[in-house]
Structure formats: structure tokens, C-alpha cells
């Protein structure tokens, strides 16, 4: 009966280090010079050769005060060892070439808030660590980010939704708050009491499109209060939503990270709301089972050393 199990190397096959030492002995004709060549002591080299001879069940060297000479069996083993070491060197060079190709580029997909307000700082820091890595950034909503990762169009993604999208693994890198804002001319800008969740749910808002992490979190928070009303406007970018709100079109709910300049200049006014938690987690994500490596791993590490977004 023929087994389908993969063949395993015999326990009698020496490791690469031992084979490299044997080749060095063949080159130099001296165990001492061979030891210096591979960077170990002569006693360690002698012990390694004896161990290899026991492993193979063969005498490889004739030792004498004048040096070490290969036995006939040792000469044959040396020829085979040379081929094994050359194959290992080719394997190592090929693997290094693959790593170099991987490390030469990084494709990042990120949802809008993270792409606009957090990633620029992280990418500047990454350039300091990996100046030769070309980085491309694909911005879109959280659903688009997930799709780009699953189809192999991106190496690392960042999303703002309620959970890790299906088919991906992830980790929380920061936290963020959603806030209600209006133009100074809007009636809510002069309110003396906080909005209730029911008021917010019943008001047509300027919203991001379906698939947006911001809209997903807001919808979930207001689900028990009647859900979101029919949108006043539905726009595909944070900048467009802010612009519409500034024009006085109506209220919107956006990330606090995205509103610093507008709130400072009072082009938009924050409206307090009570009774609902508008806080979310920002995540780095990647295809399930494929932990980030190379530049993607380094960028992920940088996200954890920066501000939390709290």
C-alpha cells in the first residue's frame, strides 16, 4: 500500500550549519581555519563534525597533526552538501526578493474620517521608517474598505463601523465621538436644553451614504428611539456633509475628529444631546488569518503609538 503522507527528511540529514562547516573544512584543509571561517571555536567545530559523523554513521575526516583530510565518504558527502547549501542559498535569495517586492509598496484602504484626519500623520511617520516604500491610499466608506481587502486590492484597512466586517480580522486602534452640529443660524444653535434621542431620530438629517461607518453607528444608536428619519440630504463625503450643514441646510452628525476647524471658527456649532451614546471604535482590519507583515505591520504599530482620538 502506498501512503499519501508527505515524505519527511530522515533524522540522519545534518542541518545547514553542519554542512557549511564541512564545506569550510574541505576548502581550508584545517578544522581550525574552517572554524574561524564560520565564526565558531575550534572545539565547537570539532564537536559538530563528530556529531555529524555519528548522525550519518560515517567517518568524514581523517585528522592528523598536519590538518584534516576528507575520507572517501567525506568527499562524497561534501559534494552532496555543496548542492544542498547552494539550493538553500537560492531559496534564501528568492525569499528575500519576495520580501523586497512586498516591502516596496503598501496599499492602504481607509474610511473617510480616518483617511482625512488620522492617516496623514501615521503615513508621515512611516515614511521616516521606510523611505523606500511607496504608499497608495484608497479612501471610501467602511463597506468599500472591506471589499478592497477581500479582493486583494489593499494590504491594510481602517474602518469606523460597529464591528469587524465579515471575512476580516482587526484590532481597535482608537476611539471617536460623533457629535451633532448645525450652522449658527439654525434654531438648535440657540437651544438651552440638550436634544433628546427621540428628537434627533425624528429630524431629517444631512447624512453620509449607506455603507458609511458614521451612518451605521448613528443608526444603531437611534434604533431603539424610532430609527433615523428620511434623510434631508445623503452625501458621499464628510467634507460635503460639513459644507451642506454650514450653508444652513440642516443638522448633521459627524466625527468630532473632523470638526475641529469648523467648531473653532464657529462655522458650525455643537448641539448637546442626552440619553444616547455616540461613541465608536476605530479599527485596523486585514483579511482573516493573514496578520499584517512588512510595511503594513509597521504602520499598524504606528497607529498604536499615536493619540487615541478620545
Amino acid at each position: 500500500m502506498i501512503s499519501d503522507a508527505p515524505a519527511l527528511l530522515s533524522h540522519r540529514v545534518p542541518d545547514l550549519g553542519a554542512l557549511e562547516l564541512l564545506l569550510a573544512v574541505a576548502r581550508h584543509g584545517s578544522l581550525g581555519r574552517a572554524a574561524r571561517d564560520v565564526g565558531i571555536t575550534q572545539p565547537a567545530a570539532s564537536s559538530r563534525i563528530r556529531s555529524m559523523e555519528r548522525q550519518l554513521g560515517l567517518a568524514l575526516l581523517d585528522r592528523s597533526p598536519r590538518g584534516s583530510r576528507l575520507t572517501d565518504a567525506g568527499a562524497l558527502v561534501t559534494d552532496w552538501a555543496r548542492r544542498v547549501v547552494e539550493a538553500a542559498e537560492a531559496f534564501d535569495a528568492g525569499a528575500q526578493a519576495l520580501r523586497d517586492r512586498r516591502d516596496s509598496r503598501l496599499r492602504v484602504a481607509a474610511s473617510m474620517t480616518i483617511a482625512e484626519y488620522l492617516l496623514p500623520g501615521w503615513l508621515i511617520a512611516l515614511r521616516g521608517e521606510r523611505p523606500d516604500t511607496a504608499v497608495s491610499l484608497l479612501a471610501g466608506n467602511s463597506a468599500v474598505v472591506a471589499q478592497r481587502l477581500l479582493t486583494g486590492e489593499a494590504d491594510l484597512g481602517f474602518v469606523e463601523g460597529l464591528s469587524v466586517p465579515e471575512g476580516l480580522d482587526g484590532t481597535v486602534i482608537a476611539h471617536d465621538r460623533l457629535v451633532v452640529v448645525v450652522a449658527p443660524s439654525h434654531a438648535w444653535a440657540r437651544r438651552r436644553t440638550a436634544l433628546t434621542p427621540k428628537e434627533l431620530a425624528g429630524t431629517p438629517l444631512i447624512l453620509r451614504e449607506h455603507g458609511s461607518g458614521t451612518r451605521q453607528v448613528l443608526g444603531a444608536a437611534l434604533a431603539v428611539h424610532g430609527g433615523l428619519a428620511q434623510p434631508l440630504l445623503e452625501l458621499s463625503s464628510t467634507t460635503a456633509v460639513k459644507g451642506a450643514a454650514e450653508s444652513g441646510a440642516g443638522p448633521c452628525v459627524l466625527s468630532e475628529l473632523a470638526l475641529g476647524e469648523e467648531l473653532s471658527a464657529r462655522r458650525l456649532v455643537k448641539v448637546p444631546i442626552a440619553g444616547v451614546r455616540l461613541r465608536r471604535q476605530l479599527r485596523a482590519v486585514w483579511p482573516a488569518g493573514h496578520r499584517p507583515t512588512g510595511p503594513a505591520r509597521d504602520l499598524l504599530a504606528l497607529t498604536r503609538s499615536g493619540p487615541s482620538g478620545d
Side-chain angles (χ1 to χ4, degrees), residues 232-309:
L232 180 65
L233 290 170
E234 196 172 60
L235 303 171
S236 61
S237 77
T238 299
T239 300
V241 171
K242 288 192 293 186
E246 283 183 45
S247 74
C252 69
V253 180
L254 288 173
S255 163
E256 198 169 37
L257 291 170
L259 292 165
E261 182 180 336
E262 290 77 13
L263 292 175
S264 296
R266 287 195 60 79
R267 297 198 300 272
L268 289 172
V269 177
K270 189 187 299 186
V271 182
I273 181 168
V276 65
R277 181 178 173 84
L278 296 178
R279 193 168 181 269
R280 62 182 177 176
Q281 296 175 323
L282 308 182
R283 291 181 174 85
V285 289
W286 54 87
H290 298 276
R291 187 78 183 174
T293 59
R297 177 196 58 220
D298 293 348
L299 178 57
L300 180 58
L302 288 169
T303 68
R304 290 166 171 170
S305 63
S308 70

Side-chain angles (χ1 to χ4, degrees), residues 9-200:
L9 283 176
S10 166
H11 68 281
R12 291 188 179 277
V13 176
D15 62 39
L16 283 173
L19 297 179
E20 288 176 321
L21 175 60
L22 182 62
L23 292 175
V25 174
R27 282 196 306 273
H28 296 291
S30 163
L31 197 57
R33 287 196 294 271
R36 287 193 294 273
D37 191 4
V38 300
I40 61 176
T41 65
Q42 182 167 341
S46 182
S47 174
R48 184 172 293 183
I49 292 291
R50 280 195 294 269
S51 176
M52 183 165 44
E53 288 176 324
R54 287 193 300 272
Q55 183 180 11
L56 292 171
L58 297 168
L60 301 176
L61 297 181
D62 282 331
R63 299 163 179 84
S64 73
R66 293 188 300 276
S68 298
R69 183 179 63 83
L70 294 171
T71 64
D72 290 343
L76 277 173
V77 171
T78 299
D79 285 341
W80 300 333
R82 186 172 292 108
R83 282 177 253 167
V84 172
V85 170
E86 286 172 353
E89 288 171 346
F91 180 94
D92 185 45
Q96 183 60 52
L98 289 175
R99 287 192 295 271
D100 289 343
R101 186 171 70 180
R102 177 203 65 193
D103 293 352
S104 68
R105 68 171 187 175
L106 173 62
R107 300 166 303 165
V108 180
S111 52
M112 295 295 190
T113 300
I114 298 175
E116 292 183 45
Y117 301 101
L118 292 176
L119 258 174
W122 296 336
L123 293 180
I124 289 170
L126 180 67
R127 184 162 183 79
E129 294 187 4
R130 286 185 174 267
D132 297 327
T133 298
V135 180
S136 60
L137 173 59
L138 305 167
N141 63 40
S142 294
V144 169
V145 171
Q147 185 62 25
R148 283 175 167 158
L149 286 165
L150 291 171
T151 57
E153 297 174 70
D155 305 305
L156 184 65
F158 296 93
V159 297
E160 308 158 5
L162 293 168
S163 59
V164 177
E166 187 177 353
L168 304 179
D169 289 335
T171 185
V172 175
I173 56 165
H175 294 87
D176 183 26
R177 295 184 187 89
L178 300 182
V179 295
V180 183
V181 292
V182 295
S185 58
H186 193 279
W188 283 3
R190 298 181 293 279
R191 283 183 66 108
R192 294 181 180 275
T193 58
L195 280 173
T196 66
K198 190 171 183 179
E199 283 180 288
L200 184 62

